[in-house]
Amino acid sequence: MIRAFPSKFFVVLSLCLSAALSSNAQTFTAGLKLKEGAKLDITNLYGRVLVRAEKDAEASLSASSPDGASPADVKIAGGKVEVSPKDRSKRIDLVITVPQRCRVRIETREGEIAVIGNFAEIGAATTTGTITTDIPLDSVRYEFQWTASRPRYVADVELEKIKEKSAGRFVISGEIGERTKRKKQKKDTDAAAADIPADVELSFSTARGIVLLNIPPNEVGSDLRERPLTEAAKAIVRSGDSLLMEAIRRAAPQYYGEYIQSLPPMKRLPSLGSSTGRASGPAAEFKTAIVRVVDSQNRSVSDLSAADFVVTESGEERPITKIERSDAPFDLVLLLDVSGSVENYLTFIRKAARSFIETVDSKDRIAIIIFNDDVKVLSGFTTDKEHLSESLDSFDAGGGTAFYDALAYTLADVLRSLKGGRSAIVILSDGEDNRSFLPFDSLLGTIQESGAIIYPLFVPTGLIQEEMLGMKDIDPMRKKYMSLTRKSEGEGEKLAKVSGGTFFPISRLAQIDTAYRDIVRQLRGAYSITFKSLSAERGVSPNLRVRVKRADMFATISSVTAVGEGQAQ
């Protein structure tokens, strides 16, 4: 697929990278004397570089550093920009704006290179930095070279096959777009030729970096090797979830294509649409909102009835057709990380899982799924706690961590037939991922559609070692393993927020049992409210409100899913 330009990605990536480069940093700006079509060489071995080409732009440079950037740190001479601070340990990032159709050459060491806009030529050289583009792909000639590793890349279009060269180099080269067609059209009138996009020349060289050709970084999985699909990835493809399928295709196009061809014609899940049988008026559909209610002391309230709630859309009260009180059973999935990071702590994993099993209500059905490089269902949904406990003796640990794939598998395969029901996922992991086909952001839409409530319990592996072995004096080099990374904390918070659950960053192992009790309390304080909606929007409408009539009680909408009329009674 060749995407039109400019793209939404242009705006999003530009804003995100600009914010990242200047966050918590002191900056200085300078003008550059560049006209359309000019050449600019940029060398920054001390940080990242973002270059934007904008129509009729006044060329400018902004340099930022947590330690403060000054004009002395950057040399500007004619068509050259070089970062050269006196303090060689200083981190300096550049944001440069140039007119369209410029020719740029950019060099970094570990720093990311991002290029956005309409250029004539782009040269990029880096050791381990990621090279990211958002450019017109109508007519492109490219050559990408890796000098110290096999290629790692994701592209918005299909590229030529990898060629292995001498001295361990790998090269991908070819053309994209309408080059041949353009050459033929040049023979026609000048007016016709004038409307044809100009060429872009790309020359990228990296030792072990990643090339993202018109792919946002947040849409890229953690492992970019072309590898066979795991059972989790195959199940995600079979689910028919188009967004997740596209993410799998990007990560492993060859194996995805081979697998999709082996499947029978795909049967999509039925979806609800607007009725065309009514003579007039907007089409109505039924929706179910999962709502949590707490009092002024933040304690769950579990004794409410339909008469205690008011549901409105755009200020108009909507009829409630069904409400399930807190004693309605839940389908709970316990998702356990058994990767190499916890290989030595199986006793802890089994004990923590059994503690959760004993905490939940006897009416709730529990399924146990473990994951490392792939997923395995230890037990399907059951209320038999003895069977669940015995199943925890049937696994070993080790391998990588395909956390995102495991969560997507749970949503798209295990919970698929339960859509619209009361379901929750409790995750016991350190929150890190190093093997998934899927990127984190690809999960969010599926989570909202599923209606499942997610409770991430993220436990640093160093914390397990400290408390299990009774370690008092921790080696300073190991202290970083005693807490969660900023990335896993942010993702844990987002999973909980999107699904209506709660994030539990564990700093002491004793907090796990407390978290289990809190989860059960929250589940018992949730209500499933089905109402007749006039909104065609899927998911939570910004105009939807649920209010509790009783004083000092507060309702929070966790998720909203569309249901059929038969489920609404």
Side-chain angles (χ1 to χ4, degrees), residues 136-150:
L137 296 182
D138 302 282
S139 183
V140 178
R141 181 184 291 121
Y142 62 90
E143 180 173 291
F144 304 152
Q145 176 178 240
W146 283 261
T147 60
S149 72
R150 289 196 62 85

Side-chain angles (χ1 to χ4, degrees), residues 462-500:
L463 179 65
I464 302 174
Q465 181 183 42
E466 179 198 33
E467 297 203 17
M468 287 191 66
L469 302 181
M471 297 173 65
K472 299 298 182 183
D473 298 321
I474 302 296
D475 187 323
M477 293 297 294
R478 293 192 55 81
K479 283 187 178 180
K480 64 179 181 178
Y481 300 107
M482 299 299 297
S483 59
L484 299 172
T485 65
R486 183 177 300 179
K487 175 174 175 286
S488 64
E489 279 198 340
E491 292 178 352
E493 291 171 352
K494 187 173 288 187
L495 287 174
K497 183 177 181 180
V498 167
S499 68

Side-chain angles (χ1 to χ4, degrees), residues 2 5 36-37 100-103 117-122 135-142 175-183 185-186 192-202:
I2 298 179
F5 183 86
E36 184 171 318
Q100 291 188 142
R101 304 301 299 156
C102 282
R103 295 169 292 156
N118 188 353
F119 293 83
E121 295 179 15
I122 303 171
I135 60 175
L137 296 182
D138 302 282
S139 183
V140 178
R141 181 184 291 121
Y142 62 90
E175 297 181 352
I176 301 169
E178 303 293 331
R179 180 181 299 277
T180 302
K181 180 179 178 181
R182 182 183 61 80
K183 288 181 178 179
Q185 287 179 329
K186 276 187 175 179
D195 294 332
I196 299 168
D199 296 341
V200 182
E201 301 283 345
L202 303 181

Side-chain angles (χ1 to χ4, degrees), residues 32-39 57 59 98-103:
L32 300 175
K33 296 181 180 180
L34 296 175
K35 296 181 179 181
E36 184 171 318
K39 183 178 179 180
V98 300
Q100 291 188 142
R101 304 301 299 156
C102 282
R103 295 169 292 156

Side-chain angles (χ1 to χ4, degrees), residues 82-373:
E82 181 181 0
V83 175
S84 182
K86 292 182 180 179
D87 181 357
R88 298 303 182 183
S89 64
K90 193 173 184 178
R91 159 76 177 272
I92 296 178
D93 297 322
L94 298 180
V95 176
I96 296 175
T97 301
V98 300
Q100 291 188 142
R101 304 301 299 156
C102 282
R103 295 169 292 156
V104 297
R105 187 201 64 83
I106 309 162
E107 181 182 358
T108 68
R109 189 176 286 129
E110 293 87 12
E112 178 182 10
I113 296 173
V115 186
I116 302 172
N118 188 353
F119 293 83
E121 295 179 15
I122 303 171
T126 180
T127 305
T128 57
T130 297
I131 302 173
T132 302
T133 72
D134 188 24
I135 60 175
L137 296 182
D138 302 282
S139 183
V140 178
R141 181 184 291 121
Y142 62 90
E143 180 173 291
F144 304 152
Q145 176 178 240
W146 283 261
T147 60
S149 72
R150 289 196 62 85
R152 293 194 297 164
Y153 68 95
V154 184
D156 199 26
V157 293
E158 185 175 353
L159 302 182
E160 295 293 333
K161 292 183 178 180
I162 300 169
K163 296 180 181 179
E164 186 170 1
K165 301 292 186 178
S166 61
R169 295 180 302 117
F170 294 88
V171 173
I172 304 174
S173 61
E175 297 181 352
I176 301 169
E178 303 293 331
R179 180 181 299 277
T180 302
K181 180 179 178 181
R182 182 183 61 80
K183 288 181 178 179
K184 291 179 180 179
Q185 287 179 329
K186 276 187 175 179
K187 298 178 181 179
D188 298 333
T189 65
D190 292 340
D195 294 332
I196 299 168
D199 296 341
V200 182
E201 301 283 345
L202 303 181
S203 178
F204 298 166
S205 177
T206 177
R208 294 178 297 277
I210 299 169
V211 172
L212 304 180
L213 183 62
N214 284 30
I215 298 292
N218 64 338
E219 293 184 11
V220 178
S222 54
D223 189 340
L224 293 182
R225 296 173 300 167
E226 177 82 2
R227 55 197 170 102
L229 302 186
T230 59
E231 292 306 311
K234 291 178 181 178
I236 292 166
V237 172
R238 293 194 303 269
S239 75
D241 187 310
S242 59
L243 293 178
L244 297 182
M245 290 172 66
E246 175 61 16
I248 298 288
R249 184 198 65 77
R250 284 178 173 174
Q254 176 184 343
Y255 292 103
Y256 173 90
E258 292 173 355
Y259 183 66
I260 204 77
Q261 290 176 11
S262 71
L263 297 176
M266 188 163 295
K267 295 181 179 179
R268 303 283 182 177
L269 287 175
S271 59
L272 295 174
S274 298
S275 171
T276 57
R278 295 180 60 180
S280 63
E285 61 178 15
F286 293 94
K287 293 183 179 179
T288 295
I290 303 299
V291 177
R292 291 169 50 196
V293 181
V294 297
D295 61 18
S296 58
Q297 304 299 316
N298 201 34
R299 296 172 299 193
S300 293
V301 179
S302 58
D303 62 346
L304 303 178
S305 66
D308 293 309
F309 291 93
V310 176
V311 177
T312 61
E313 282 185 320
S314 300
E316 180 181 346
E317 186 169 343
R318 306 307 307 149
I320 296 174
T321 61
K322 183 175 68 172
I323 181 170
E324 290 183 326
R325 297 179 60 183
S326 59
D327 57 355
F330 261 83
D331 289 307
L332 304 174
V333 176
L334 183 57
L335 190 59
L336 301 176
D337 183 347
V338 297
S339 61
S341 60
V342 298
E343 188 171 6
N344 298 322
Y345 313 115
L346 289 183
T347 300
F348 162 76
I349 296 294
R350 293 187 172 109
K351 179 181 177 182
R354 289 188 172 110
S355 178
F356 174 75
I357 293 168
E358 292 304 316
T359 303
V360 302
D361 193 277
S362 59
K363 297 179 182 179
D364 294 327
R365 299 195 310 162
I366 302 174
I368 302 177
I369 300 174
I370 60 174
F371 67 92
N372 44 28
D373 299 274

